[in-house]
Amino acid sequence: MLNKYARAFFTRVLTPFAAFLLRRGVSPDAVTLVGTAGVVAGALVFFPRGEFFWGTITITLFVFSDLVDGNMARQAGVSSRWGAFLDSTLDRVADAAIFGGLALWYAGSGNDNVLCAVAIFCLASGQVVSYTKARGEAIGLPVAVNGLVERAERLVISLVAAGLSGLQTFGVPSWIGVLLPVALWLVAAGSLVTLVQRVVTVRREAAEADAAAPAEGGAA
């Protein structure tokens, strides 16, 4: 849902910055790699130590590279299958680092095995949600469904909650720390619903395509 409305807005906002990088000779692939490295570093350095505020700030600074690289490629007229593949693959790496960092916190100093398991479920379900669409499209289906919680929603919900929870470091009452567990449960439930939506859609589209194939063959 956020992809539909927010992506266009941020693309317009970041267009001048993308043009600036192109003038400096920076390639879209370089932005993709640096952005992913920054997200991974922010997630795996800060989150396992419970430094959620600074981890979120670091991740947020780099996560917009996902919009900048594509913008650069379009402006330069160099959009390619390789760039799309690299971007999609590294998105999965970044997502895994974010939820992996949270899982490490709850497995260690956070001392909560249930929330550790929820964070791992968020990590795994996010990967599978993306895979179902990619696999459906690979076998020739449109997979015409977005779903309740896609990547943008997963990141916004998780990072906003983590950042706010991290404000405890600055003297904000400790009750704000409950936002992160609530966010993880929401992302886990939403990801499960989205996965079911996509599987049902692929099953329906596959049945329709299989039913149409003999009819087309007979007509030929």
Side-chain angles (χ1 to χ4, degrees):
M1 291 184 291
L2 284 177
N3 275 336
K4 182 178 179 181
Y5 301 105
R7 194 175 188 90
F9 169 76
F10 283 110
T11 296
R12 289 194 298 271
V13 170
L14 294 170
T15 293
F17 180 61
F20 169 79
L21 292 177
L22 286 172
R23 289 195 299 271
R24 295 296 181 274
V26 179
S27 72
D29 287 352
V31 171
T32 303
L33 291 167
V34 171
T36 302
V39 171
V40 170
L44 297 183
V45 170
F46 292 103
F47 281 0
R49 298 188 297 181
E51 297 178 9
F52 298 126
F53 179 79
W54 293 115
T56 300
I57 293 297
T58 302
I59 291 168
T60 302
L61 289 174
F62 286 98
V63 80
F64 283 105
S65 66
D66 189 45
L67 297 176
V68 174
D69 55 7
N71 194 314
M72 292 172 65
R74 287 189 293 274
Q75 288 191 49
V78 294
S79 297
S80 64
R81 291 182 176 85
W82 162 250
F85 169 81
L86 180 67
D87 185 59
S88 180
T89 300
L90 293 185
D91 281 350
R92 308 288 82 77
V93 173
D95 292 357
I98 291 170
F99 289 106
L102 294 173
L104 287 172
W105 161 251
Y106 286 115
S109 300
N111 194 29
D112 193 320
N113 289 335
V114 172
L115 287 176
C116 175
V118 174
I120 292 173
F121 180 83
C122 290
L123 188 164
S125 60
Q127 307 294 316
V128 177
V129 164
S130 297
Y131 175 79
T132 53
K133 186 174 181 64
R135 182 57 180 160
E137 291 174 342
I139 59 176
L141 301 175
V143 195
V145 61
N146 289 323
L148 180 64
V149 176
E150 296 183 282
R151 183 174 188 254
E153 287 84 3
R154 291 196 301 272
L155 291 182
V156 169
I157 293 171
S158 303
L159 292 177
V160 168
L164 291 175
S165 296
L167 292 176
Q168 295 178 79
T169 306
F170 303 97
V172 174
S174 60
W175 60 262
I176 201 169
V178 76
L179 292 177
L180 182 54
V182 169
L184 287 175
W185 280 107
L186 286 175
V187 170
S191 296
L192 181 59
V193 171
T194 303
L195 176 59
V196 171
Q197 288 177 304
R198 290 193 173 179
V199 169
V200 169
T201 298
V202 169
R203 187 177 188 278
R204 174 178 53 79
E205 292 177 348
E208 292 172 351
D210 291 342
E216 293 174 355

